[in-house]
Coordinates of all heavy atoms in Angstrom, one line a residue:
T384 N 10.8 110.8 49.7 CA 9.8 111.5 49.0 C 10.0 113.0 48.9 O 10.7 113.5 49.8 CB 8.4 111.2 49.6 OG1 8.5 111.5 51.0 CG2 8.0 109.8 49.5
Y385 N 9.5 113.7 47.9 CA 9.7 115.1 47.7 C 11.1 115.5 47.8 O 11.5 116.5 48.3 CB 8.8 115.9 48.7 CG 7.4 115.5 48.7 CD1 6.8 114.8 49.7 CD2 6.6 115.8 47.6 CE1 5.5 114.4 49.7 CE2 5.3 115.5 47.5 CZ 4.7 114.8 48.6 OH 3.4 114.4 48.5
R387 N 13.7 114.6 49.3 CA 14.5 114.6 50.6 C 15.6 113.5 50.5 O 15.4 112.5 49.8 CB 13.6 114.3 51.8 CG 12.7 115.5 52.2 CD 12.0 115.2 53.5 NE 11.1 114.1 53.3 CZ 9.8 114.2 53.0 NH1 9.3 115.4 52.8 NH2 9.0 113.2 52.9
Q388 N 16.7 113.7 51.2 CA 17.8 112.8 51.2 C 17.4 111.6 52.1 O 16.8 111.8 53.1 CB 19.0 113.4 51.7 CG 20.3 112.5 51.7 CD 21.5 113.1 52.3 OE1 21.4 114.2 52.9 NE2 22.6 112.5 52.1
W389 N 17.8 110.4 51.6 CA 17.6 109.2 52.5 C 19.0 108.7 52.8 O 19.8 108.3 52.0 CB 16.9 108.1 51.8 CG 16.6 106.9 52.7 CD1 17.4 105.8 52.9 CD2 15.5 106.8 53.6 NE1 16.9 105.0 53.8 CE2 15.7 105.5 54.3 CE3 14.4 107.5 53.8 CZ2 14.8 105.1 55.2 CZ3 13.5 107.0 54.8 CH2 13.7 105.8 55.4
N443 N 3.5 107.0 53.6 CA 4.4 106.0 53.2 C 5.5 105.6 54.3 O 6.5 105.1 53.9 CB 5.2 106.5 51.9 CG 6.1 107.7 52.3 OD1 5.8 108.5 53.1 ND2 7.2 107.8 51.6
D444 N 5.1 105.9 55.5 CA 6.1 105.6 56.6 C 5.8 104.3 57.2 O 4.7 103.9 57.5 CB 6.1 106.7 57.7 CG 6.8 108.0 57.3 OD1 7.3 108.0 56.1 OD2 6.7 108.9 58.0
Y453 N 6.1 106.6 68.2 CA 6.3 106.0 66.9 C 7.6 106.4 66.3 O 8.0 107.6 66.2 CB 5.2 106.5 66.0 CG 3.8 106.0 66.5 CD1 3.0 106.9 67.2 CD2 3.3 104.7 66.2 CE1 1.8 106.4 67.7 CE2 2.1 104.3 66.6 CZ 1.3 105.2 67.4 OH 0.1 104.7 67.8
K455 N 10.4 106.0 63.2 CA 10.5 105.7 61.8 C 11.5 104.5 61.5 O 12.7 104.6 61.8 CB 10.9 106.9 60.9 CG 10.8 106.6 59.4 CD 10.8 107.9 58.6 CE 10.6 107.6 57.2 NZ 10.4 108.8 56.3
Y483 N 20.9 110.4 63.6 CA 20.3 110.9 62.4 C 19.4 112.1 62.7 O 18.6 112.1 63.6 CB 19.4 109.9 61.6 CG 20.2 108.8 60.9 CD1 21.6 108.7 61.0 CD2 19.5 108.0 60.0 CE1 22.3 107.7 60.3 CE2 20.2 107.0 59.3 CZ 21.6 106.9 59.4 OH 22.2 105.9 58.8
N484 N 19.5 113.1 61.9 CA 18.7 114.3 62.1 C 17.4 114.2 61.2 O 17.2 115.0 60.2 CB 19.5 115.6 61.7 CG 18.7 116.9 62.1 OD1 17.8 116.9 62.9 ND2 19.1 117.9 61.4
F485 N 16.6 113.3 61.5 CA 15.3 113.0 60.8 C 14.3 114.0 61.3 O 14.3 114.6 62.3 CB 14.8 111.6 61.0 CG 15.4 110.6 60.2 CD1 15.3 109.2 60.5 CD2 16.1 110.9 59.0 CE1 15.9 108.3 59.7 CE2 16.7 109.9 58.2 CZ 16.6 108.6 58.6
E486 N 13.2 114.2 60.4 CA 12.1 114.9 60.9 C 11.3 114.2 62.0 O 10.7 114.8 62.8 CB 11.1 115.1 59.7 CG 11.6 115.9 58.5 CD 10.8 115.8 57.3 OE1 10.2 114.7 57.1 OE2 10.6 116.8 56.6
H487 N 11.5 112.9 62.0 CA 10.8 112.0 63.0 C 11.9 111.3 63.8 O 13.0 111.2 63.4 CB 9.9 111.0 62.3 CG 9.0 111.6 61.3 ND1 8.0 112.4 61.6 CD2 8.9 111.4 60.0 CE1 7.3 112.7 60.5 NE2 7.9 112.1 59.5
K488 N 11.4 110.8 65.0 CA 12.3 109.9 65.7 C 12.5 108.7 64.9 O 11.6 108.2 64.3 CB 11.7 109.6 67.1 CG 11.5 110.8 68.0 CD 10.9 110.3 69.4 CE 9.5 109.9 69.2 NZ 8.6 111.0 68.9
A489 N 13.7 108.2 64.9 CA 14.0 107.0 64.0 C 14.7 105.9 64.9 O 15.3 106.2 65.9 CB 14.9 107.4 62.8
I552 N 1.4 118.8 56.9 CA 1.8 119.6 55.8 C 0.9 119.2 54.6 O 0.9 118.0 54.2 CB 3.3 119.4 55.4 CG1 4.1 119.8 56.6 CG2 3.6 120.3 54.3 CD1 5.6 119.4 56.4
R593 N 1.0 116.1 52.2 CA 2.4 116.0 52.0 C 3.2 115.3 53.1 O 4.1 114.5 52.8 CB 3.0 117.4 51.7 CG 2.6 118.1 50.5 CD 3.1 117.4 49.3 NE 2.8 118.1 48.0 CZ 1.8 117.7 47.2 NH1 1.0 116.7 47.5 NH2 1.5 118.4 46.1
R594 N 2.8 115.6 54.3 CA 3.6 115.0 55.4 C 2.8 115.1 56.7 O 2.1 116.1 57.0 CB 4.9 115.8 55.6 CG 6.0 115.0 56.3 CD 6.6 114.0 55.4 NE 7.7 113.3 56.0 CZ 8.0 112.1 55.6 NH1 7.3 111.5 54.7 NH2 9.0 111.5 56.1
I595 N 2.9 114.0 57.5 CA 2.3 114.0 58.8 C 3.5 114.0 59.8 O 4.3 113.1 59.8 CB 1.4 112.8 59.1 CG1 0.2 112.9 58.1 CG2 0.9 112.8 60.5 CD1 -0.7 111.7 58.1
M596 N 3.6 115.0 60.7 CA 4.7 115.1 61.6 C 4.2 114.4 63.0 O 3.4 115.0 63.7 CB 5.1 116.5 61.8 CG 5.3 117.3 60.5 SD 6.6 116.5 59.5 CE 8.0 116.8 60.5
Y597 N 4.8 113.3 63.3 CA 4.4 112.6 64.5 C 5.6 112.5 65.5 O 6.7 112.7 65.1 CB 3.9 111.2 64.1 CG 4.8 110.4 63.2 CD1 5.8 109.6 63.8 CD2 4.6 110.4 61.8 CE1 6.7 108.9 62.9 CE2 5.5 109.7 61.0 CZ 6.5 108.9 61.5 OH 7.3 108.2 60.7

Side-chain angles (χ1 to χ4, degrees):
T384 53
Y385 303 109
R387 287 187 295 268
Q388 182 184 11
W389 185 272
N443 67 326
D444 284 357
Y453 298 96
K455 185 161 182 172
Y483 284 10
N484 186 25
F485 277 162
E486 296 168 323
H487 310 294
K488 298 183 290 291
I552 304 173
R593 292 289 186 262
R594 204 75 178 152
I595 298 171
M596 310 302 293
Y597 50 88

